[in-house]
Amino acid sequence: MKYLLGFMMLCYLPIFAQTKTYVVRKTPNDFLVTGDGSAKEWENAIVLSDFSNQYQPKNLPETNFKALWSNTHLYFLYYVEDHEIITQQRGIEELDTAKSDRVEIFFKPDDETKPYYSLEMDALGRHLDSDAQFYKNNIDLDWDWPTDDFVLKASQHSKGYTVEGSISLESLRKLGIYKDDGYLNTGLYRGEYYSNADNKVSIKWISWVVASTERPNFHVPNSFGILKLETLE
């Protein structure tokens, strides 16, 4: 029996090992979101650069992510390499974001039968927010993050673009995402548009956690990792 139990434990170990965690350091004060990550507080944040694409693994542009938290807000910063920034400007705002170079943050509750929430943010500082339920293909594009609880700004530079924002912890709490244990189930993604050899626009789907799907799909539970909110000593 002890050998059987040992074998069972070994079988489960890889599952836990695949759960990625990023430690979000705490900042003692709130700060201004500028869109270029210039606030000195960002110097204390851990840089996350572990992004990949299992379908097109070669020649991926660099993607860096940072996060901090205060007593009231979660702050995030994407700094991405992009030598051909593509942004749709058809005058339909949120839907233009979905056809542009962008970075994304998804949040899900522990109970995966409840809605999860998505923020897709482009190099112009536009965003598409939505909620949905796993496996039901019913994304609600009319859902909006409460205006007073979400700030987003972006800037472009010689190497690409930066997206910076803040989300109130109170809004995350109301959505069933933020709890006192300090763990946030979070997906971090990027949609990278580029011109291929035929001068047609294609897209690479880049993510922090590699989901076990036959085709690129961020809308599955196993594409999420964990943001762990670190407390000050």
Side-chain angles (χ1 to χ4, degrees):
M1 176 63 74
K2 66 178 181 180
Y3 298 108
L4 178 59
L5 289 174
F7 175 76
M8 292 174 64
M9 291 178 66
L10 286 173
C11 289
Y12 280 108
L13 279 175
I15 297 176
F16 293 107
Q18 291 175 2
T19 301
K20 290 187 175 181
T21 300
Y22 170 83
V23 176
V24 182
R25 290 178 175 167
K26 189 172 186 181
T27 179
N29 54 278
D30 290 297
F31 56 92
L32 185 66
V33 172
T34 62
D36 60 8
S38 59
K40 60 180 178 57
E41 284 81 2
W42 284 119
E43 296 174 3
N44 188 47
I46 299 170
V47 179
L48 173 65
S49 57
D50 183 20
F51 288 84
S52 61
N53 179 324
Q54 72 267 40
Y55 309 98
Q56 298 170 284
K58 297 182 179 180
N59 301 319
L60 289 182
E62 185 175 1
T63 305
N64 289 324
F65 173 84
K66 291 182 178 181
L68 292 168
W69 75 291
S70 69
N71 288 332
T72 58
H73 286 81
L74 174 70
Y75 295 87
F76 62 87
L77 177 69
Y78 272 103
Y79 184 94
V80 301
E81 177 189 12
D82 191 341
H83 298 296
E84 183 191 15
I85 299 175
I86 296 175
T87 53
Q88 288 283 352
Q89 298 185 56
R90 301 167 295 175
I92 52 178
E93 294 300 324
E94 288 193 324
L95 295 181
D96 278 341
T97 304
K99 291 294 185 180
S100 301
D101 279 316
R102 64 191 183 276
V103 292
E104 306 179 1
I105 300 179
F106 290 11
F107 298 100
K108 74 178 182 67
D110 291 334
D111 183 353
E112 293 173 357
T113 65
K114 294 183 178 180
Y116 65 96
Y117 303 91
S118 310
L119 288 168
E120 305 181 28
M121 304 159 288
D122 74 5
L124 298 178
R126 303 174 301 184
H127 72 278
L128 170 64
D129 42 11
S130 61
D131 73 348
Q133 286 184 283
F134 293 114
Y135 311 118
K136 292 190 177 181
N137 196 28
N138 63 343
I139 299 175
D140 182 5
L141 299 180
D142 293 326
W143 181 87
D144 293 314
W145 208 285
T147 303
D148 294 338
D149 294 304
F150 175 57
V151 174
L152 177 68
K153 293 187 178 181
S155 63
Q156 300 180 33
H157 46 80
S158 60
K159 294 184 178 180
Y161 63 95
T162 301
V163 171
E164 182 181 10
S166 68
I167 301 170
S168 76
L169 296 181
E170 182 60 26
S171 66
L172 290 171
R173 190 186 299 277
K174 288 179 180 179
L175 295 174
I177 304 300
Y178 174 62
K179 298 181 180 179
D180 292 335
D181 61 6
Y183 288 87
L184 304 176
N185 297 307
T186 310
L188 303 175
Y189 318 104
R190 176 181 174 184
E192 167 59 13
Y193 281 94
Y194 65 97
S195 298
N196 58 31
D198 298 326
N199 290 322
K200 295 182 179 179
V201 175
S202 300
I203 189 168
K204 291 182 179 179
W205 298 107
I206 300 169
S207 64
W208 173 35
V209 176
V210 175
S212 56
T213 56
E214 293 183 2
R215 298 178 180 178
N217 186 1
F218 297 159
H219 297 265
V220 292
N222 65 6
S223 73
F224 285 69
I226 294 172
L227 300 190
K228 174 65 177 73
L229 305 188
E230 182 182 57
T231 57
L232 292 174
E233 297 296 334

